[in-house]
């Protein structure tokens, strides 16, 4: 399984862009990068996923480096409600889609 | 997005009793569901993969006789914590897979906080 490395915590000012990095240097060619977030005492919420191209949806943008060894999740205009733990996960190859969670980044959006 | 309903959201039980947690996919069929547990200040730990119509696959170190999983239909999986003890107190979360291949996503329930007295 490819492992991911994320900073344990980050702060961001409300209204500014939050850029959350993730390293996955051992990712395999057909493994996707998924991002989820978990607000305290709730189930994780799907944000976005990608293989090698950059992706954007209504919640966030995902930038994947050309060598696919790292990625960045961008929340363009962070709000207080974006305070959560953000998990960068590499989908386990040939394992039916199960997601193995690392420690994630605790993002605090401050007024 | 797809909705996964988990019930109950919170349960308190006495040591030695069994507790059943339900996970339902409300607007899609899920041939595969997953069960996680989470202790305070820790990440989610995968317990088992639940496949409709077949036996669940447990992760290493998870007791299959302790945590009974049934996936009898395409929209329902249940986790039963048998003979619960205080150390089983945890936040249990289910997820259901929608789609396949590149479009595959996993959606999560809202979790069940189990407290064993």
């Amino acid at each position: 399984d490819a492992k991911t490395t994320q900073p344990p915590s980050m702060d961001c000012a409300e209204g500014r862009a939050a850029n959350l990095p993730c390293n996955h240097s051992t990712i395999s060619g057909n493994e996707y990068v998924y991002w989820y977030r978990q607000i305290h005492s709730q189930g994780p919420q799907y944000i976005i996923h990608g293989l090698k191209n950059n992706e954007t949806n209504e919640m966030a943008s995902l930038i994947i480096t050309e060598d696919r060894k790292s990625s960045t999740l961008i929340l363009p205009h962070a709000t207080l409600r974006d305070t959560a733990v953000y998990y960068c996960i590499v989908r386990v190859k040939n394992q039916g889609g199960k997601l193995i969670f690392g420690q994630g980044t605790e993002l605090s959006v401050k007024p | 997005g797809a909705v996964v309903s988990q019930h109950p959201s919170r349960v308190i039980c006495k040591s030695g009793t069994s507790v059943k947690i339900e996970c339902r996919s409300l607007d899609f069929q899920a041939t595969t569901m997953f069960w996680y547990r989470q202790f305070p200040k820790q990440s989610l730990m995968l317990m088992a993969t639940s496949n409709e119509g077949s036996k669940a696959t447990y992760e290493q170190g998870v007791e299959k006789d302790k945590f009974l999983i049934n996936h009898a239909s395409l929209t329902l999986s249940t986790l039963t914590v048998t003979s619960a003890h205080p150390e089983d107190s945890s936040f249990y979360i289910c997820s259901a897979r929608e789609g396949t291949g590149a479009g595959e996503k996993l959606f999560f329930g809202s979790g069940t906080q189990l407290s064993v007295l």
Side-chain angles (χ1 to χ4, degrees), chain A residues 32 34 36 38 41-44 46 49 87 91 96-103, chain B residues 34 36 38 42-44 46 49 59 91 93 97 102 104-110:
Chain A
Y32 292 78
Y34 284 77
Y36 283 78
Q38 185 180 28
S41 297
Q42 297 183 24
Y46 167 82
H49 76 283
Y87 294 99
R91 177 171 173 260
K98 66 181 180 181
L99 297 179
I100 305 299
F101 286 78
Q103 295 306 307
Chain B
F34 304 91
Y36 295 82
Q38 185 177 32
Q42 295 187 22
S43 185
L44 286 78
L46 180 65
T49 300
E59 295 298 304
F91 191 54
I93 307 167
R97 185 174 68 183
E104 177 183 285
K105 299 176 188 174
L106 288 188
F107 294 95
F108 287 79
S110 55

Side-chain angles (χ1 to χ4, degrees), chain A residues 22-41:
Chain A
C22 179
N23 287 320
H24 31 78
S25 59
T26 60
I27 191 171
S28 298
N30 60 348
E31 291 181 301
Y32 292 78
V33 180
Y34 284 77
W35 283 84
Y36 283 78
R37 71 180 183 184
Q38 185 180 28
I39 297 170
H40 182 63
S41 297

